[in-house]
């Protein structure tokens, strides 16, 4: 907390900073959609102390799938470019999350189910289970699901081959 501010004022400052990040990201992404001649609406929110921006389309997300790419590879690259655009404007490192055509939301649900299922498997067998390599976003979702199931998990390995190990209680 900065000197002379209250915790409530600090929270407001953080919220307005995250909203500003969302605005900058939305402007950047609107320009990108115009250049690519793709239709999409931009939705902004603040989730878990980070700006969250989504590109959605009424015309079906077929066009937007180009921006997701195979297994989200293009989405990851666009998220990094958007974070750089925010950094250029604000001077601060951004943890902004980008979702396109609901790809990340669907992936989050699948990974939470994988984490819960693996936790059950580990509880029954008493043996640790190693999962496939994942992105930092994917590992975070699995770690959260494992913790919610009452077990521990760790990340091992080096990027891009870093993976989650679910451990018995």
């Amino acid at each position: 907390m900065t000197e002379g501010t209250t915790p409530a004022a600090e929270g407001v400052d953080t919220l307005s900073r995250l909203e500003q990040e969302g605005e900058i990201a939305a402007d950047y992404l609107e320009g990108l959609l115009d250049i690519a001649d793709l239709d999409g609406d931009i939705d902004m929110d603040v989730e878990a102390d980070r700006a969250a921006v989504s590109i959605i389309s009424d015309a079906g997300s077929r066009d937007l799938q180009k921006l997701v790419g195979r297994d989200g590879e293009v989405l990851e690259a666009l998220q990094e470019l958007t974070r750089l655009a925010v950094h250029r404007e604000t001077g601060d490192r951004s943890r902004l999350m980008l979702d396109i055509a609901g790809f990340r939301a669907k992936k989050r649900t699948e990974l939470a189910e994988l984490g819960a299922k693996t936790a059950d498997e580990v509880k029954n067998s008493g043996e640790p289970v190693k999962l496939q390599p994942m992105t930092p976003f994917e590992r975070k979702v699995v770690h959260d699901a494992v913790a919610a199931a009452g077990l521990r998990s760790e990340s091992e390995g080096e990027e891009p081959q870093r993976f989650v190990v679910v451990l018995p209680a």
Side-chain angles (χ1 to χ4, degrees):
M1 190 163 40
T2 54
E3 193 173 317
T5 62
T6 64
E10 185 100 346
V12 170
D13 290 346
T14 300
L15 184 62
S16 61
R17 183 180 55 76
L18 294 175
E19 288 170 343
Q20 178 191 19
E21 281 187 22
E23 292 288 339
I24 294 166
D27 290 345
Y28 176 78
L29 292 165
E30 281 177 9
L32 181 83
L33 289 173
D34 286 345
I35 291 168
D37 195 29
L38 295 172
D39 289 326
D41 295 321
I42 310 250
D43 184 37
M44 294 178 300
D45 201 1
V46 173
E47 297 173 4
D49 294 333
R50 62 171 58 183
V53 179
S54 300
I55 301 175
I56 51 180
S57 174
D58 292 337
S61 54
R62 208 156 184 75
D63 276 352
L64 292 182
Q65 287 306 315
K66 297 172 190 169
L67 298 179
V68 172
R70 187 172 59 88
D71 207 27
E73 291 170 342
V74 177
L75 170 59
E76 288 292 329
L78 287 173
Q79 177 175 277
E80 282 307 307
L81 289 171
T82 305
R83 286 177 174 177
L84 287 171
V86 170
H87 176 75
R88 187 183 66 223
E89 292 288 321
T90 64
D92 295 326
R93 185 177 175 278
S94 173
R95 294 177 50 236
L96 175 131
M97 287 295 290
L98 175 63
D99 192 7
I100 299 174
F103 177 83
R104 246 188 237 285
K106 181 179 175 212
K107 190 82 166 171
R108 181 179 283 124
T109 300
E110 292 169 357
L111 290 164
E113 289 171 3
L114 173 66
K117 184 178 135 224
T118 305
D120 285 344
E121 182 182 324
V122 169
K123 282 179 184 175
N124 292 332
S125 73
E127 297 294 320
V129 172
K130 294 179 181 180
L131 299 175
Q132 295 296 314
M134 298 178 187
T135 67
F137 160 76
E138 293 168 337
R139 290 193 309 270
K140 167 89 169 87
V141 174
V142 172
H143 285 307
D144 290 348
V146 169
L151 291 183
R152 283 185 327 108
S153 58
E154 298 174 348
S155 290
E156 293 183 6
E158 298 294 321
E159 295 293 354
Q161 296 300 312
R162 203 153 162 79
F163 58 92
V164 173
V165 179
V166 181
L167 304 165

